[in-house]
Amino acid sequence: MKKNIDKTRMKIEQVMNEIRDLLLLKNEQYGDSALSPIGIFAQGSASDLIRVRMDDKISRLVLGNESIESDEDIVVDLAGYCVLLLIAMRNEE
């Protein structure tokens, strides 16, 4: 049992590191646009706009078009958006 817990722990750490690295890279590339949106076309709070992005990702996952992006990429992006949403919600408190 302990061996399985250790294996799972390592996998959790690996996935969380992957999500962290992706979030940091995208934040650098996009200039913090998720948490500080410029609001040219879409208006709303950061958390509202992140929820819209999450809806789009879930729609792609449900429709399933691997030629656009893989299901795994979508799930990783959703996990990242969950982190960003939590930060936005805390910022708005």
Side-chain angles (χ1 to χ4, degrees):
M1 179 96 164
K2 174 75 170 137
K3 185 177 179 179
N4 285 341
I5 290 173
D6 289 342
K7 281 177 116 176
T8 299
R9 179 187 177 102
M10 286 176 44
K11 289 178 182 180
I12 290 169
E13 289 175 354
Q14 178 183 2
V15 169
M16 295 306 295
N17 288 338
E18 177 185 339
I19 292 167
R20 181 200 64 225
D21 293 347
L22 180 66
L23 276 174
L24 293 172
L25 176 65
K26 285 188 173 188
N27 190 60
E28 185 175 320
Q29 289 176 337
Y30 296 115
D32 203 31
S33 64
L35 295 173
S36 301
I38 58 175
I40 294 172
F41 294 108
Q43 301 295 313
S45 67
S47 61
D48 288 339
L49 296 175
I50 291 168
R51 286 181 176 98
V52 170
R53 294 176 185 191
M54 292 172 78
D55 279 348
D56 290 341
K57 288 290 179 179
I58 291 169
S59 177
R60 285 187 216 145
L61 187 62
V62 170
L63 295 175
N65 187 342
E66 291 278 331
S67 68
I68 296 173
E69 60 189 330
S70 71
D71 286 353
E72 184 173 321
D73 288 340
I74 294 170
V75 171
V76 169
D77 282 345
L78 276 170
Y81 282 132
C82 286
V83 172
L84 291 171
L85 179 58
L86 184 57
I87 293 168
M89 291 167 59
R90 289 177 179 177
N91 285 347
E92 293 167 5
E93 290 178 348

